[in-house]
Amino acid sequence: ICQYNLPIMRELLYLKDKELKEYILNIFYAYRNSFDDIKKISKKYSLGVPHCKALLIISISKDINVSELLQKLGVTKQSLNKVINDLIKLKVLEFKKNIKDSRVKNIYLNSKGDKIIDEIFQTQKNRFQKAFLACKSEEVVSFDIVIKKIINE
């Protein structure tokens, strides 16, 4: 893709501060709007954004444990403990011993947790699908590449 757009890529390599700030601001707006979409659902279950983030990561990650969840969320143990305790009270989590290390417990969503994350996902899915469908496939691929580079993946 890049070799065909070499003149454009050269321009992008020399983005001005103003343009970079606009990209950063747009990423913020995308984040804000995608999480604003789920407010009705999160209110219904008395969840905050941290709870929704934890549910999403647990639903996607296979055999995730508390340490891994802590790392992916980038929060303090105290913050994660509050979120996990709230999710336990809501009865959406299951814990099972890790097969390789019985001292470690993996976290899973039960059927109620799956139902809640599905409601959240369906709401956010609409925004993302609409945006992706309005783009060319190359733009979607490029977006994915750039986002992964921004998050150092």
Side-chain angles (χ1 to χ4, degrees):
I1 297 174
C2 291
Q3 74 187 53
Y4 302 110
N5 295 323
L6 200 53
I8 295 169
M9 290 307 294
R10 281 194 186 119
E11 285 179 37
L12 290 176
L13 291 175
Y14 302 103
L15 289 172
K16 303 287 186 230
D17 285 355
K18 182 180 184 239
E19 293 162 321
L20 288 170
K21 286 178 183 177
E22 287 176 10
Y23 280 114
I24 292 167
L25 188 59
N26 285 333
I27 289 171
F28 165 73
Y29 289 147
Y31 169 85
R32 182 199 63 196
N33 291 352
S34 68
F35 278 93
D36 278 352
D37 291 343
I38 64 170
K39 282 185 177 175
K40 184 178 178 184
I41 296 163
S42 55
K43 251 186 185 174
K44 177 176 157 182
Y45 296 104
S46 301
L47 300 172
V49 171
H51 300 89
C52 295
K53 290 177 184 179
L55 288 171
L56 180 62
I57 292 171
I58 294 166
S59 74
I60 292 172
S61 305
K62 301 292 181 217
D63 302 320
I64 192 167
N65 61 50
V66 174
S67 297
E68 293 164 338
L69 183 58
L70 190 64
Q71 180 187 11
K72 287 184 182 271
L73 286 170
V75 298
T76 63
K77 284 182 183 180
Q78 184 179 3
S79 296
L80 182 57
N81 277 338
K82 182 188 180 331
V83 168
I84 287 178
N85 286 333
D86 290 346
L87 294 174
I88 289 170
K89 286 178 191 169
L90 194 57
K91 299 179 181 166
V92 298
L93 298 181
E94 291 179 5
F95 296 89
K96 297 179 184 172
K97 285 185 181 179
N98 184 295
I99 296 169
K100 296 176 185 169
D101 186 348
S102 62
R103 297 170 295 170
V104 175
K105 288 185 180 178
N106 293 337
I107 309 169
Y108 302 91
L109 298 181
N110 61 21
S111 58
K112 183 177 179 183
D114 284 335
K115 178 182 176 272
I116 293 171
I117 197 60
D118 189 53
E119 283 183 61
I120 291 168
F121 173 68
Q122 290 304 321
T123 303
Q124 290 181 312
K125 177 181 168 183
N126 294 333
R127 176 180 297 279
F128 281 83
Q129 274 188 329
K130 184 178 175 183
F132 286 141
L133 289 172
C135 295
K136 297 175 186 166
S137 59
E138 303 87 34
E139 293 170 327
V140 174
V141 170
S142 296
F143 171 77
D144 186 54
I145 292 167
V146 171
I147 286 291
K148 286 182 177 175
K149 289 184 184 292
I150 290 171
I151 60 174
N152 298 320
E153 201 174 89

